[in-house]
Each structure stands twice: as structure tokens, then as C-alpha cells.
Amino acid sequence: MVDSRQNSKSGRVYGGESAAQRQARQRRRFLDAGLELFGTIGYRATSVRKLCKHARLTDRYFYRNFHDTEDLLAAVYAESMDRVQAAVMEAVADSSGGSQPDVMIDAGLTAFFVAIENPLVARVCWLEVLGVSPRIDEMYTRRIQQFADLLLVLAKGMLPAWSLSDEEARVTGIAVVGAISQSALNWLLEKYRTPRATLVGANGRLIRGLIAVLPAKACP
């Protein structure tokens, strides 16, 4: 008969959980603790000890899941941005039935600003990741490029004739994402004083204005 009390290294069931399930649960608790502490007291003020206290786990379990607090920050940031991007993509997909660009733009922007109305997510993604290390800087830059690529994919789907070169399109996408990102950061810093609808409207005009001035593609 299998002893269900064997330790996690055996891979056996203990307390109704497998070793993989236990580790996943522990990792989830540290991710939640990281979002809470990084999003309130800040990354630099957060220690492994504070994370363990908040997660109600020992440092043994922390180091089983993460190399250090920077490793946890990277994981929290990646998960948060994945959720923001998924929300935007879902909203755009749900609104694309009529293929009306204005509706799709507003739906995507609304989903984006709703997602970052969570101040924990907004602080982690727009403040706490800045200047931490070359590794985190690279992650941040890559995410900006991913959002720019997503914006370009959506724009190409809306426009019957795409006229920009790949290089100009890449720079344009980064510029637009940078503008939206800066408005998101300002919204956080002003403690969400501006109505969300104003943010959506202003950034929507920015995107629609860009589309309106794109040069027409020359006919062959």
C-alpha cells in the first residue's frame, strides 16, 4: 500500500495533492504575494522574508520556485501583461463581427484601461519594472514590441490598402503604444482621477487620426 504521507520529492500523493500540484499551489501563492507587495510597498522594499510571511510559506518553498525576488518580479510582470493582452485581444475579437474599425478600437482600448484599473497590475507593469536590471529592461522592451505588433496586425485587418514599409510600420506601432502607455502611467499617478471614457476617447482619436493620414497604397 502506498504511503500518502511521503514527501514531495517522491512525487507521490500527500494530503490529496501530488508533488506537482503542491508546487503549483505554492508558486501561485508567491505570485499573488508578489503582485500584492510589489504593487503596494514596491519591488525594492520587498524581501524574501516579507513574501514568505504574506504567502504563509517558508523560504524553502520560495527558493524551490524562484531564484530570487527579481525572478519573481519577472514572473509577476509576465503574467500580468499576458492577462492585459488577452483581455484586449478577446475584446477586439468579440467586437469584430461587424468589422467596424471604430468599434474594434474602442473595445480594445476599453479592455486595456479596465485591466489597468487594478492599481497593483498598473504599478508593477508601469513603475516597478523600470531600471531593475538588464534582464527586466529587455522583458519590458519586448512587451512594448509585442503590443506594437498586435496593434499593427489589427490595423492591417482594418485597412483595405496597407501602405507602410515594415520598418516604418514597426516604428509607428512603437510610437502609438508608447503614447497609450504614457497615458496609462499618468492615469495611475493621478490615482485614476480622469474618467476611463476620456482615456478611451483620447487614445481612440489618436489611433483613428493615424489611420486617416496613412498614404494610400499606389495601384500597380
Side-chain angles (χ1 to χ4, degrees):
M1 182 175 179
V2 175
D3 184 355
S4 64
R5 297 173 299 173
Q6 295 185 52
N7 63 38
S8 62
K9 291 183 179 179
S10 69
R12 304 292 179 86
V13 172
Y14 180 86
E17 285 184 317
S18 68
Q21 288 172 327
R22 283 192 297 278
Q23 185 161 358
R25 174 173 54 81
Q26 294 157 7
R27 180 179 177 85
R28 178 73 265 157
R29 285 168 68 172
F30 279 119
L31 286 167
D32 291 343
L35 179 61
E36 179 69 29
L37 294 180
F38 298 155
T40 52
I41 66 173
Y43 167 71
R44 289 165 180 81
T46 300
S47 63
V48 171
R49 182 177 181 181
K50 289 178 181 177
L51 288 163
C52 290
K53 181 178 180 180
H54 196 86
R56 299 190 301 279
L57 293 168
T58 67
D59 58 357
R60 167 191 173 193
Y61 297 111
F62 178 85
Y63 290 111
R64 180 176 292 174
N65 288 277
F66 303 98
H67 180 69
D68 52 22
T69 55
E70 182 183 311
D71 199 29
L72 177 59
L73 176 66
V76 170
Y77 173 66
E79 182 176 75
S80 297
M81 291 300 290
D82 283 345
R83 289 176 176 174
V84 173
Q85 185 168 331
V88 171
M89 294 178 68
E90 182 179 359
V92 171
D94 288 346
S95 68
S96 62
S99 298
Q100 298 180 14
D102 285 353
V103 174
M104 295 169 65
I105 290 169
D106 287 346
L109 287 170
T110 297
F112 172 77
F113 285 109
V114 166
I116 66 167
E117 264 182 314
N118 181 337
L120 303 179
V121 171
R123 179 168 174 177
V124 167
C125 295
W126 272 268
L127 286 178
E128 296 305 315
V129 295
L130 300 179
V132 171
S133 71
R135 172 198 178 191
I136 302 298
D137 287 346
E138 194 276 333
M139 285 186 65
Y140 180 81
T141 301
R142 187 169 67 247
R143 283 290 178 168
I144 293 294
Q145 184 62 64
Q146 287 176 357
F147 265 103
D149 291 342
L150 173 61
L151 181 63
L152 292 176
V153 168
L154 296 175
K156 287 180 180 180
M158 296 175 190
L159 298 177
W162 185 254
S163 58
L164 297 181
S165 67
D166 289 344
E167 182 176 21
E168 189 173 2
R170 178 182 62 81
V171 174
T172 300
I174 291 173
V176 174
V177 169
I180 297 172
S181 180
Q182 186 61 36
S183 68
L185 173 58
N186 185 73
W187 201 34
L188 170 66
L189 295 177
E190 70 169 19
K191 301 185 185 303
Y192 301 103
R193 178 178 54 80
T194 301
R196 187 203 316 144
T198 302
L199 275 292
V200 172
N203 284 282
R205 281 191 292 276
L206 173 68
I207 296 173
R208 285 189 286 270
L210 171 64
I211 292 174
V213 300
L214 285 175
K217 186 174 182 179
C219 297

